[in-house]
Structures are given as structure tokens and as C-alpha cells.
């Protein structure tokens, strides 16, 4: 006879479930267990409870479809901050949570969080473990460093995006301390190439920072492109799935243990969700070590859209550059009347100087000739210019011929097989290396002043953080402006102009007019080396560019249009036109006779930091903080080339006089040499130990000079092969110096074999390098009061 079931009225209350039961039992299962217990079915209750206890972790995770109020408050807490305390959470004390939330007025970042809260599954729970990322990245870095030499250059680029995503994940989930520990542990190995970006993300300390930061959102929303060989990609997939493969013996044991498996899962989540691999069938040994990074980065928004389409995109810069067709990179045509007049003047001068050979020399020979395959622009394709020429134009062209005759020919190729210990070494070096004349500004109060030299080497100008410009006469002549009390009716000819000049003067002059720091200055090029400049342009933080007269020493025009500070300004080789680069992400074309801009070049994703005109004035090159350089058609305002390969801000550009090459450099300590015709990188030149500020080509386009924050001037062989090399060549002696030289910092960047010579200064960062028409190299820098 079975035991009678007790009546419901006599049933005692069910005992509360244990914490363990609450952890593993869902609401529905708990109701069933309560029913069985109330009916006395003890055996059935135990059997059901046993099945629930052996449920898989995935099934337990899937059962958690909601989060309780306490977990919601904890999650909200890491998203809450006050403007007065941007680096810390304000909801630390649970007793003040409701009060603080009420005072904050339900901010938008918490609204966004609440709307995104959904079911919490096993993968989400796993991603909340701050230790998995540190373990995963440690194993990944060990595998990359231990891989074969032929694969290591293509594996190393994957470390940077995974590092960034791990750090952002930790911040996003409120693990600030764990994120800072992760950053301090692993950032050192990535700093040489990504110092600026790493510094930027290290300032993101709260989820709200990540939500509102543009770079962080680009990492979140765009896929980071990485080029990899097919064999290398197979090794990476094998290591991620099996935890082994590709590493050298003893370099790593792959993922092991529970923590190792979580680390692998963390790496795989980033690889699957945020990386896009461009797998090539080429042999890894066919690529140079630097070629893998050329198509690496957040590229989807960096490459312009296809013409006439808002959605069609190019997957790599080569496809975009090829779609734009051939460029016309040959020299600009010269007015026939100007050609004839310049030849006549040359013949007359040759006869006066009793040089019988001079009158037969062609006027055109010093001009850069068009290389085979280079297209020459038509006169109708150039910017409009005056239909007639002036005396200054004739003088400029005539002087260009004289300079070409007396120019020092720099031939870096003669150093290729030179024995530095031979008796002829000194004479051979004189043929290959330029003479360098350096100018240092002493006791600079603050900031990094900009400077420039005039084409005839008679003037030097520098802009300062105190909002003024200072001129110096390099020939020791007095700089005199116009008197303010003259009568304009008394001016009838040139001689009367000289009479109203100031009686006194000095070799230096201060120009005041800007209301913010001056970031760039440029002398006009219309007179070339034949005469002193007539005008000076300046760019400032007050969002204006100003035109100054060198005759009156006063400001003539203020050009307004940019909405933010103007970082750079450059004259067109034709004169009359100039271009500006600004923090508002645009470059603009101006004419001196109009106060509004003629063209706006928009497309960069961040500040346009520098620009340079092509020698034929048909194109404009720009460099940006978005790590790219672009080439624009000046007339049409469209982008015709995009150059990707830098790992930091592009802060300086130089275009070769023959019109074929673009050199770009910046905060990643590398100089990239590009072929304008194809848009491809020719080589990467490294050796600088700090940011590079300025570049300049020699007149033959065979030698490149750079200056930077490491207090050195370096000369590079443009036509030589790239690649790493051994011992550094310092003090202008190509390794012959016996004494130690002092530079601003340790040279941690490996030097390439195309570095010909390094000229170190004592403590002078070089902000400008410049070649004269006769190949004398002039450089300028500064020494602050703290450096002395």
C-alpha cells in the first residue's frame, strides 16, 4: 500500500534553495523542483537535480537570458562619469548610485548602454575576464617572435590591432586597472612604429571615452586590413585553432590550460570580427620586410570611393590609383616669347663676358627633361597665368641657366663601391655629398618655431609661438620698410620710392599681425635666385594665412576661410597661387588677388598637416594625421593618387625636381619614397631616432636630405637599393669618426643601406632643410632656453 499524500493544508513551506541550486537552476526548473518536493516525489526531485548539475557550461550560459538589478547597476556604474572627474567612475559607493544617476540626468551614454543590453551568453561571460587578454597576447607575441625569419615581418603587423582591441575591450567593460597593466606590459614592443596612436589610446580611461573617441570608433566599426602570404595565413590559422605551428623549437608551447584556451578565444574573437586578411599567393621571400605594412591598417575609409558612386569602394590603394590612369608629370611648357627673350639675353651676356661658347648654348638645357614614358602637360591644363611675361620672369630664367652651369653635381652612385680607407675617399665624397650650412635660433621661449630661406639665400624667416614673424638678412644688409609719413602723391618713379624708405634699419625685423602661434612661413618663388623675394606668406593658429610685403615690411592681406588652425602654406612654382593645409581636414587653393579660396581639397579623415606643389603646378600633394598622403588634380579638385604605408602622422613632403618621386615622412620615423606614376612605394628609408620635420631633394633628384627632432641632418641615396645595414655613418665621415658624437636620443631605428651620411648637431632639432639652385644645403633649427 502506497503512502498517502499529505493534504495541501498541512504542507509546510518549501525550504529555500541553496546558493548552489540558485546558480545552476533556471526559474522554470526551480518551479518543477518545488512541485515535486511539495508532492513528496523525492526520488524524481533528486534525479532532475542530478541532471541539472551535470549540464554543460554552454547550456548553463544559455540559460542566463537576463541579468539581475545588481548586475545592471554595476554595468551602469562603469559608464558614469562627471566632467570634473573624467578619468574616474563616480558610482563607486552602492548607496549613492540612485542619487548620482538622478543628478546626472540620464546621460546619452547610459541610454545607449541600456538599449544595447540583451541576453548574456557564454561568449559574453568569457569576454568579461580581464586575464584572458593578457594571456592571449603574451602567447601571440611569443609565437610571432619565435616564428621563422621569412614569416616574422608578415606576422608582426597583426600584433598592433589585436593590442588596441584588447585595451579598448578592457576599458569598455570597466577594467581600468587591468587595461593599464596590459598597456604597460606590452606597449613597449609596439612603440617605435605606433607611438602616436598608442599615446592616444592610453588617454582613454572610461567606456564613455571609447564611445566618443573617433579613432576608437574606427577600430570598432572598420576592419583592420593585413596583407599575408598564403602559407603564412595557413600557419596563423593552424596556430589559432590548434595552438601550435610555425614557431621555432622552444619558442612557445601554444595554448595550454584553461587560461590559455580563454586567451586563444580572445585572440580569435578579434581576428574574426575586426581583421581582414589580403592573402597573396606570392612567396614570402619575394617581399621586402617593409612591404607587408603597405596594405595594413584601417583602409576602408582611407581609400576614396569610386567616381560617380557613393557605395562602390576599392579594396586597396593600387586598385584606386590604377583607375585614375596616367599622370602628366613632365615639365610645364614655357611661353615661346619668354623662351626667345631669355635666349637673346643669354647671347648678349655671353658676348659681354667674351664667352664664345655661351651664345650657342641652348636656353632649355638646365630644365628637367621629360623622362621616357612621362606625359607633358599642355598649357591649357595649367592654372591661368598672365598672358605676357615681365622682366622678373626673364631674369629668373636667365639666372637658372647660370646656376645650372655653376651647380655642384651630386652623384651618390660613386659611393657604391668606395673604399672609405683609400686615399681618394675624401675627393670622391666631395662629389657625392652636399655642403651643409646650418642656422640655429637660440633662446626660443616655447614651441617649435618654423623657418624658411629665400631662393636667392638673402633672407631667412621664422615664425614663433608668440604670434610674430622675424626676418634676418643673411647678407648683413639692413632691412628697411617704408616711412609712415610719406605723401603718396609724391611717388612718381622708382627713385622716389627709395626716398621714402626708412633712414635707419637693422639686419633683423619683426612682423606683427597674427593673433596665434605661427606654424609656417614661405617666401615667394617668382624671382627665383635672381632677385630677393617680394612677398612672404605665413600660416597661423588664428585660422588665417597672411601676405606680407618685403618692400614695406607690412601685412597686405589676411586670407580667411579655414575654420581651424592652418598648419602649412606653400607657394605654387608659378607664383600668384598658393595652398594652405588646416586642422579642418582640408587643403585650399588661393590666389593672391582674391580673398576667397579657389578650390577646396577634401577627403582626408584628419588634419592636413603638410602640402607641396608638383614642379609643373598641375598637382598638389598633401600629408595628413590619418597616416596617408594624397595627390590632387589642382584644376579639378579630385584625388588622383592615395599613398598608404605610414604608421603615424605624415608631417613633411618633398617632390623631386624631375617630377617623378614623392618623399613623405613623419612621426613613424620612416621616409617613404613613392613613384607618382604608379602610386607604389619604391622603398622605405629608416635611420632617424625621432620625428622627421623636413625633406628636400637635390637639383638632380638623386639625393634626399632630411632633418628631424633627433638633432641630425641625414643624406639618402634616392636611386640606391634599400634594405638594412650595419654600422651607422656619423659626423659626416661615413664611419670614419673615432670619437663619440652627441645626439638628442638613442638611435633605436635600424638604418637602411641608402643612408649615405649623418651630420649630428649638438642639441639643435632641425625644422627646415632647403637646397639652393646650386645644390648648397641650408638647414635651420632652434635651441630652447631649457636645452642650453
Amino acid at each position: 500500500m502506497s503512502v498517502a499524500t499529505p493534504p495541501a493544508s498541512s504542507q509546510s513551506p518549501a525550504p529555500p534553495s541553496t546558493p548552489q541550486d540558485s546558480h545552476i537552476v533556471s526559474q522554470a526548473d526551480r518551479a518543477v523542483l518545488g512541485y515535486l518536493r511539495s508532492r513528496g516525489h523525492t526520488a524524481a526531485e533528486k534525479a532532475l537535480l542530478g541532471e541539472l548539475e551535470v549540464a554543460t557550461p554552454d547550456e548553463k550560459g544559455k540559460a542566463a537570458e537576463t541579468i539581475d538589478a545588481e548586475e545592471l547597476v554595476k554595468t551602469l556604474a562603469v559608464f558614469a562619469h562627471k566632467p570634473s572627474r573624467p578619468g574616474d567612475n563616480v558610482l563607486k559607493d552602492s548607496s549613492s548610485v540612485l542619487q548620482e544617476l538622478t543628478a546626472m540626468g540620464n546621460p546619452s551614454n547610459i541610454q545607449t548602454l541600456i538599449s544595447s543590453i540583451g541576453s548574456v551568453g557564454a561568449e559574453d561571460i568569457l569576454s568579461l575576464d580581464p586575464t584572458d587578454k593578457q594571456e592571449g597576447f603574451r602567447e601571440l607575441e611569443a609565437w610571432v617572435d619565435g616564428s621563422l625569419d621569412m614569416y616574422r615581418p608578415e606576422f608582426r603587423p597583426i600584433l598592433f590591432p589585436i593590442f588596441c582591441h584588447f585595451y579598448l575591450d578592457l576599458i569598455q567593460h570597466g577594467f581600468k586597472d587591468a587595461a593599464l597593466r596590459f598597456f604597460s606590459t606590452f606597449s613597449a614592443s609596439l612603440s617605435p612604429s605606433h607611438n602616436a596612436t598608442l599615446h592616444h589610446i592610453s588617454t582613454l580611461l572610461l567606456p564613455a571615452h571609447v564611445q566618443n573617441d573617433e579613432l576608437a570608433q574606427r577600430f570598432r566599426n572598420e576592419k583592420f586590413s593585413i596583407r599575408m602570404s598564403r602559407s603564412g595565413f595557413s600557419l596563423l590559422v593552424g596556430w589559432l585553432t590548434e595552438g601550435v605551428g610555425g614557431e621555432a623549437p622552444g619558442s612557445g608551447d601554444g595554448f595550454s590550460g584553461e587560461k590559455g584556451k580563454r586567451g586563444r578565444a580572445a585572440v580569435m574573437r578579434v581576428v574574426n570580427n575586426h581583421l581582414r586578411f589580403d592573402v597573396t599567393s606570392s612567396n614570402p621571400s619575394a617581399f621586402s620586410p617593409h612591404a607587408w605594412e603597405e596594405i595594413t591598417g584601417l583602409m576602408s575609409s582611407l581609400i576614396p570611393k569610386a567616381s560617380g558612386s557613393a557605395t562602390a569602394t576599392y579594396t586597396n590603394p593600387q586598385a584606386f590609383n590604377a583607375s585614375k590612369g596616367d599622370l602628366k608629370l613632365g615639365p610645364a611648357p614655357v611661353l615661346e616669347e619668354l623662351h626667345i627673350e631669355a635666349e637673346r639675353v643669354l647671347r648678349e651676356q655671353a658676348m659681354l663676358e667674351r664667352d664664345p661658347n655661351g651664345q650657342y648654348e641652348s636656353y632649355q638645357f638646365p630644365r628637367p627633361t621629360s623622362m621616357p614614358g612621362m606625359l607633358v602637360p599642355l598649357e591649357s591644363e595649367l592654372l591661368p597665368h598672365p598672358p605676357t611675361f615681365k622682366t622678373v620672369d626673364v631674369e629668373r630664367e636667365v639666372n637658372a641657366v647660370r646656376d645650372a652651369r655653376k651647380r655642384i653635381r651630386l652623384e651618390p652612385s660613386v659611393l657604391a663601391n668606395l673604399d672609405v680607407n683609400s686615399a681618394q675617399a675624401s675627393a670622391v665624397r666631395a662629389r657625392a655629398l652636399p655642403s651643409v650650412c646650418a642656422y640655429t635660433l637660440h633662446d626660443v621661449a616655447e614651441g617649435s618655431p618654423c623657418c624658411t630661406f629665400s631662393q636667392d639665400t638673402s633672407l631667412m624667416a621664422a615664425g614663433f609661438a608668440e604670434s610674430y614673424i622675424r626676418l634676418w638678412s643673411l647678407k648683413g644688409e639692413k632691412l628697411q620698410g617704408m616711412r609712415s609719413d610719406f605723401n603718396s602723391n609724391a611717388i612718381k618713379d622708382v627713385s622716389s620710392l627709395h626716398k621714402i624708405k626708412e633712414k635707419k634699419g637693422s639686419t633683423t625685423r619683426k612682423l606683427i599681425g597674427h593673433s596665434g602661434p605661427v606654424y609656417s612661413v614661405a617666401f615667394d618663388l617668382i624671382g627665383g635666385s635672381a632677385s630677393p623675394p617680394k612677398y612672404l606668406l605665413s600660416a597661423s593658429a588664428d585660422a588665417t594665412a597672411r601676405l606680407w610685403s618685403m618692400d614695406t615690411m607690412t601685412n597686405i592681406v589676411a586670407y580667411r576661410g579655414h575654420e581651424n588652425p592652418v598648419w602649412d602654406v606653400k607657394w605654387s612654382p608659378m607664383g600668384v597661387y598658393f595652398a594652405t593645409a588646416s586642422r579642418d581636414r582640408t587643403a585650399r587653393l588661393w590666389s593672391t588677388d582674391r580673398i576667397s579660396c579657389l578650390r577646396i581639397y577634401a577627403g582626408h579623415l584628419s588634419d592636413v598637416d603638410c602640402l607641396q606643389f608638383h614642379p609643373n603646378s598641375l598637382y598638389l600633394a598633401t600629408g595628413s594625421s590619418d597616416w596617408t598622403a594624397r595627390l590632387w588634380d589642382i584644376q579639378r579638385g579630385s584625388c588622383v593618387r592615395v599613398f598608404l604605408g605610414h604608421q603615424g602622422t605624415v608631417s613633411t613632403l618633398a617632390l623631386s625636381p624631375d617630377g617623378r618621386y614623392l618623399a613623405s615622412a613623419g612621426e613613424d620615423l620612416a621616409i617613404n619614397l613613392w613613384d607618382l606614376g604608379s602610386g607604389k612605394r619604391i622603398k622605405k628609408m629608416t635611420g632617424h631616432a625621432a620625428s622627421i620635420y623636413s625633406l628636400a631633394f637635390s637639383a638632380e633628384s638623386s639625393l634626399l636630405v632630411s632633418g628631424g627632432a633627433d638633432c641630425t641632418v641625414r643624406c639618402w641615396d634616392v636611386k640606391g637599393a634599400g634594405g638594412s645595414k650595419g654600422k651607422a655613418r656619423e659626423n659626416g665621415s661615413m664611419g670614419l669618426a673615432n670619437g663619440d658624437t652627441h645626439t638628442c636620443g638613442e638611435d633605436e631605428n635600424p638604418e637602411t643601406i641608402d643612408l649615405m651620411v649623418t651630420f649630428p648637431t649638438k642639441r639643435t632639432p632641425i625644422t627646415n632643410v632647403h637646397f639652393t639652385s646650386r645644390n648648397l644645403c641650408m638647414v635651420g633649427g632652434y635651441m630652447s632656453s631649457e636645452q642650453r
Side-chain angles (χ1 to χ4, degrees):
M1 184 174 179
S2 62
V3 178
T5 303
S9 58
S10 63
Q11 174 66 34
S12 60
S17 60
T18 63
Q20 182 180 5
D21 292 342
S22 299
H23 176 70
I24 65 173
V25 179
S26 67
Q27 187 70 31
D29 292 333
R30 191 179 296 114
V32 173
L33 289 172
Y35 174 81
L36 294 175
R37 187 181 299 113
S38 67
R39 295 302 179 184
H41 302 307
T42 308
E45 177 189 1
K46 289 182 178 181
L48 178 58
L49 188 59
E51 289 181 6
L52 295 175
E53 287 177 347
V54 298
T56 63
D58 289 342
E59 292 171 344
K60 297 174 187 177
K62 291 177 182 177
E65 296 295 335
T66 60
I67 60 176
D68 57 25
E70 182 180 357
E71 287 298 323
L72 176 61
V73 170
K74 288 181 179 179
T75 308
L76 292 177
V78 301
F79 279 81
H81 70 96
K82 286 183 178 179
S84 60
R85 299 166 62 185
D88 203 357
N89 298 320
V90 300
L91 303 182
K92 291 183 176 180
D93 186 2
S94 59
S95 63
S96 63
V97 169
L98 294 177
Q99 179 182 352
E100 292 287 354
L101 286 175
T102 303
M104 292 173 65
N106 196 14
S108 58
N109 56 332
I110 291 184
Q111 293 179 15
T112 303
L113 175 66
I114 293 174
S115 64
S116 66
I117 291 177
S119 60
V120 180
E123 183 173 335
D124 301 291
I125 295 173
L126 189 63
S127 67
L128 294 178
D129 184 358
T131 62
D132 62 350
K133 296 172 175 56
Q134 183 152 341
E135 180 67 17
F137 194 83
R138 183 187 65 78
E139 291 281 357
L140 177 63
E141 189 174 43
W143 178 76
V144 169
D145 291 339
S147 59
L148 297 177
D149 292 344
M150 64 183 297
Y151 290 111
R152 193 178 302 123
E154 59 178 302
F155 287 155
R156 282 209 64 84
I158 68 176
L159 293 176
F160 174 64
I162 292 177
F163 174 90
C164 293
H165 279 287
F166 277 2
Y167 179 85
L168 295 175
D169 284 341
L170 291 171
I171 292 295
Q172 189 76 37
H173 291 110
F175 299 114
K176 174 183 173 183
D177 294 336
L180 295 178
R181 285 195 303 270
F182 176 80
F183 187 92
S184 62
T185 303
F186 299 108
S187 62
S189 62
L190 302 173
S191 292
S193 299
H194 307 281
N195 185 57
T197 305
L198 292 176
H199 173 73
H200 178 82
I201 69 169
S202 69
T203 63
L204 308 179
L205 301 176
L206 286 176
H209 298 169
V210 176
Q211 290 177 342
N212 298 324
D213 184 75
E214 183 178 359
L215 179 60
Q217 290 306 305
R218 285 188 61 201
F219 269 101
R220 291 305 203 203
N221 301 325
E222 297 181 33
K223 292 213 170 187
F224 196 97
S225 299
I226 293 177
R227 172 188 281 186
M228 193 169 287
S229 67
R230 190 175 302 278
S231 57
F233 183 70
S234 298
L235 289 173
L236 175 63
V237 172
W239 182 78
L240 285 173
T241 55
E242 304 296 336
V244 293
E247 69 274 8
S251 63
D253 299 326
F255 294 108
S256 60
E258 191 64 30
K259 185 181 291 187
K261 293 178 181 178
R262 292 201 307 270
R264 175 176 60 179
V267 174
M268 291 184 68
R269 276 196 299 274
V270 174
V271 170
N272 290 331
N273 299 330
H274 300 291
L275 301 187
R276 183 182 68 83
F277 291 90
D278 178 17
V279 180
T280 68
S281 58
S282 303
N283 192 308
S285 59
F287 287 86
S288 68
H290 301 302
W292 298 107
E293 68 186 25
E294 188 172 348
I295 307 184
T296 297
L298 301 169
M299 296 196 306
S300 60
S301 56
L302 294 176
I303 303 175
K305 298 288 190 298
S307 300
S309 173
T311 58
T313 59
Y314 296 98
T315 57
N316 59 72
Q318 282 77 17
F320 171 80
N321 294 337
S323 70
K324 294 300 179 180
D326 296 331
L327 302 182
K328 297 188 175 182
L329 304 176
V334 180
L335 290 174
E336 185 63 24
E337 295 82 359
L338 177 58
H339 177 103
I340 295 173
E341 180 65 16
E343 281 191 329
R344 183 189 66 79
V345 173
L346 281 172
R347 285 194 294 268
E348 290 181 356
Q349 289 183 354
M351 295 178 64
L352 292 175
E353 296 171 0
R354 297 183 179 180
D355 180 8
N357 295 325
Q359 57 182 315
Y360 301 110
E361 292 190 25
S362 171
Y363 153 70
Q364 279 189 321
F365 84 89
R367 287 189 165 277
T369 56
S370 178
M371 302 294 292
M374 290 179 64
L375 302 178
V376 179
L378 302 176
E379 188 172 342
S380 59
E381 295 175 321
L382 301 177
L383 291 168
H385 57 276
T388 59
F389 59 88
K390 300 179 181 179
T391 303
V392 67
D393 298 318
V394 178
E395 293 177 350
R396 179 189 66 245
E397 302 300 339
V398 169
N399 218 60
V401 176
R402 300 173 65 89
D403 289 337
R405 292 173 182 170
K406 299 181 180 181
R407 179 178 300 146
I408 302 171
R409 306 286 176 179
L410 301 178
E411 302 174 11
S413 59
V414 301
L415 296 179
N417 300 314
L418 176 66
D419 180 6
V420 294
N421 296 318
S422 64
Q424 296 81 17
S426 178
V428 174
R429 287 179 60 249
R431 291 172 51 195
L433 301 177
S435 297
V436 181
C437 180
Y439 294 85
T440 301
L441 306 177
H442 289 273
D443 296 325
V444 174
E446 61 177 286
S448 175
C450 58
C451 65
T452 189
F453 302 94
S454 62
Q455 289 291 305
D456 68 336
T457 68
S458 64
L459 292 174
M460 174 182 174
F464 294 89
E466 291 89 343
S467 309
Y468 69 88
I469 303 165
R470 184 169 286 279
L471 299 174
W472 287 271
S473 172
L474 301 182
K475 296 183 177 180
E477 300 173 350
K478 292 183 178 180
L479 302 177
Q480 298 172 315
M482 300 292 184
R483 299 200 315 266
S484 59
D485 59 347
F486 69 91
N487 184 4
S488 58
N489 296 326
I491 302 175
K492 298 180 180 180
D493 51 23
V494 176
S495 60
S496 59
L497 280 174
H498 291 291
K499 294 180 181 179
I500 62 174
K501 285 271 189 181
E502 296 173 340
K503 299 299 181 182
K504 297 181 180 180
S506 64
T507 57
T508 182
R509 187 95 180 196
K510 182 183 286 188
L511 305 179
I512 300 175
H514 282 292
S515 58
V518 180
Y519 295 128
S520 181
V521 286
F523 286 108
D524 77 87
L525 310 175
I526 194 65
S529 62
S531 60
K534 297 293 184 182
Y535 302 101
L536 174 73
L537 279 169
S538 60
S540 169
D542 61 11
T544 68
R546 291 179 180 263
L547 183 68
W548 307 81
S549 169
M550 296 295 96
D551 290 327
T552 62
M553 297 294 171
T554 57
N555 179 219
I556 305 174
V557 188
Y559 299 95
R560 294 180 170 86
H562 284 292
E563 301 174 357
N564 295 105
V566 183
W567 300 129
D568 198 12
V569 61
K570 288 291 189 299
W571 285 96
S572 162
M574 298 172 56
V576 182
Y577 301 98
F578 65 93
T580 54
S582 172
R583 188 172 179 265
D584 62 11
R585 306 182 180 185
T586 67
R588 305 192 182 208
L589 180 72
W590 309 76
S591 174
T592 53
D593 58 352
R594 297 187 182 184
I595 60 173
S596 58
C597 70
L598 306 177
R599 296 284 189 279
I600 298 178
Y601 307 100
H604 280 292
L605 303 184
S606 188
D607 302 27
V608 182
D609 297 291
C610 55
L611 43 74
Q612 197 71 250
F613 279 91
H614 190 271
N616 64 16
S617 295
L618 203 61
Y619 304 102
L620 178 70
T622 56
S624 171
S625 295
D626 64 9
W627 303 4
T628 70
R630 296 190 180 206
L631 192 71
W632 306 83
D633 186 304
I634 289 183
Q635 285 276 51
R636 296 180 176 86
S638 60
C639 178
V640 294
R641 291 289 185 271
V642 60
F643 306 98
L644 274 66
H646 279 285
Q647 301 300 317
T649 296
V650 180
S651 56
T652 181
L653 299 171
L655 282 153
S656 61
D658 63 8
R660 299 174 60 194
Y661 307 118
L662 168 69
S664 59
E667 295 181 358
D668 62 353
L669 317 186
I671 302 172
N672 285 335
L673 186 67
W674 309 89
D675 177 69
L676 290 178
S678 65
K680 296 181 179 179
R681 182 166 62 180
I682 299 173
K683 60 180 177 177
K684 179 178 180 179
M685 300 177 283
T686 60
H688 277 281
S691 296
I692 303 168
Y693 291 150
S694 185
L695 299 170
F697 279 96
S698 64
E700 299 88 2
S701 304
S702 60
L703 185 139
L704 180 71
V705 170
S706 61
D710 61 354
C711 311
T712 63
V713 177
R714 299 178 187 248
C715 300
W716 311 83
D717 183 2
V718 173
K719 305 297 176 63
S724 59
K725 71 170 187 177
K727 190 176 179 180
R729 301 174 179 179
E730 293 190 356
N731 205 27
S733 59
M734 298 167 50
L736 297 177
N738 296 321
D740 293 337
T741 58
H742 175 79
T743 58
C744 287
E746 293 292 330
D747 187 0
E748 299 177 353
N749 209 21
E751 295 181 351
T752 50
I753 59 176
D754 39 25
L755 174 60
M756 299 169 56
V757 65
T758 298
F759 297 101
T761 64
K762 289 184 177 179
R763 289 180 299 274
T764 303
I766 304 300
T767 59
N768 181 262
V769 295
H770 167 81
F771 268 106
T772 68
S773 55
R774 299 188 183 183
N775 270 344
L776 170 67
C777 182
M778 303 177 70
V779 304
Y782 68 96
M783 183 180 293
S784 64
S785 54
E786 292 82 4
Q787 290 176 299
R788 299 194 63 178

